[in-house]
Amino acid sequence: MTNYYSEHSKVWVSVDCIIFGFEADKLKLLIGRRQMDPGRGEWSLYGGFVGNDESLSEAASRVVFQLTGLKKLYLRQVGAYGAIDRDPGERVISVAYCALINVKDYDDKLREKYNLEWVSLPDLPQLYSDHNRMVNDAIGQLRRRINTEPISFNLLPDLFTLTQLQHVYEAVLENEIDKRNFRKRIKQIDFIEKTELIDKLTSKRGAALYRFNRRAYDEDPSFKL
């Protein structure tokens, strides 16, 4: 370590991870009771301090992996939060990251290990410090991107029905979507690929299963729903 900048005060830098999942046609958030002071026992996002040997994104990936056991997830920076009094313990600047996962891929033993809960957005309680603001900013980011980026597929299994896909859009946008127009538009998108498989678990009549074709999207990433 050097003595550069020694005349300046030091601050702590942390990451907070906003982990969204989609279940029972609802967008849900993974939260838990804070296990440390200040704010012990309050509902909170899960995060951690950035290590000397890691970048912001590496710290966020570490936290998300610790909580979910999953790698190579959708992970995007939401923003930096640095109000002077945001943490009563120390001067802490936090950088929030948003992750999207398919709940069925998630090992529920990890949820139990860290005493976490999936909470639907309408039922979200008051969270520690400025964590509610982080969540609101993350939702706003998703709403701006869902019609121009294929982020919805991160919340779905590899094979999904068009009804499931529509419900993801409706959950994120908090709006009902006209079924006929939605399906008409989806069928015009090359990288949403219909398979020969039929879903007989969630559909009594049997619904066609689709998948996201990453290669087709990479070849023509111009996307707008």
Side-chain angles (χ1 to χ4, degrees):
M1 299 293 288
T2 70
N3 291 322
Y4 298 138
Y5 317 126
S6 59
E7 72 274 21
H8 298 287
S9 60
K10 296 182 179 180
V11 299
W12 297 90
V13 179
S14 69
V15 292
D16 282 298
C17 296
I18 306 158
I19 303 175
F20 288 117
F22 181 72
E23 186 179 42
D25 298 340
K26 293 181 180 179
L27 190 64
K28 295 186 175 182
L29 179 68
L30 197 61
I31 61 174
R33 295 283 186 180
R34 191 168 167 86
Q35 301 296 311
M36 60 187 291
D37 293 320
R40 185 183 297 270
E42 294 183 32
W43 287 108
S44 172
L45 298 173
Y46 203 98
F49 289 101
V50 180
N52 289 331
D53 59 347
E54 60 185 359
S55 67
L56 288 169
S57 60
E58 287 170 343
S61 295
R62 168 177 55 80
V63 170
V64 171
F65 177 72
Q66 182 181 3
L67 291 182
T68 68
L70 302 173
K71 294 183 177 181
K72 296 182 179 180
L73 297 173
Y74 174 94
L75 187 66
R76 296 290 184 276
Q77 189 178 122
V78 175
Y81 301 81
I84 294 173
D85 59 349
R86 65 171 302 276
D87 191 309
E90 294 285 353
R91 180 77 167 92
V92 180
I93 294 174
S94 183
V95 180
Y97 280 80
C98 174
L100 303 179
I101 71 172
N102 172 28
V103 173
K104 290 184 179 179
D105 289 338
Y106 179 52
D107 185 350
D108 205 52
K109 292 179 181 177
L110 287 173
R111 184 188 64 77
E112 295 175 355
K113 177 181 177 180
Y114 292 104
N115 296 313
L116 301 172
E117 298 291 340
W118 284 110
V119 179
S120 60
L121 294 184
D123 300 324
L124 192 64
Q126 181 62 43
L127 303 177
Y128 173 75
S129 184
D130 50 7
H131 289 188
N132 285 90
R133 179 186 169 195
M134 294 179 182
V135 173
N136 289 335
D137 289 347
I139 295 169
Q141 186 183 85
L142 291 181
R143 288 173 180 165
R144 290 190 297 273
R145 290 182 173 180
I146 195 168
N147 289 327
T148 57
E149 298 178 27
I151 62 175
S152 55
F153 307 108
N154 296 281
L155 294 163
L156 291 167
D158 291 337
L159 296 173
F160 53 86
T161 67
L162 292 187
T163 297
Q164 289 173 317
L165 181 59
Q166 180 177 335
H167 286 166
V168 166
Y169 274 82
E170 291 175 334
V172 171
L173 298 172
E174 290 189 339
N175 249 335
E176 287 191 17
I177 298 174
D178 181 79
K179 180 178 179 180
R180 181 179 299 177
N181 289 337
F182 181 81
R183 294 191 173 216
K184 180 179 179 181
R185 181 68 186 98
I186 289 297
K187 291 176 180 179
Q188 295 172 346
I189 299 175
D190 292 339
F191 56 79
I192 301 178
E193 190 174 79
K194 185 177 181 180
T195 73
E196 299 299 321
L197 301 173
I198 299 295
D199 171 33
K200 295 182 179 179
L201 294 177
T202 62
S203 173
K204 293 181 180 179
R205 297 173 57 187
L209 287 167
Y210 290 73
R211 64 179 162 219
F212 171 54
N213 187 324
R214 168 60 68 177
R215 180 178 295 180
Y217 174 76
D218 289 340
E219 291 175 355
D220 182 15
S222 58
F223 169 65
K224 189 171 183 180
L225 185 62

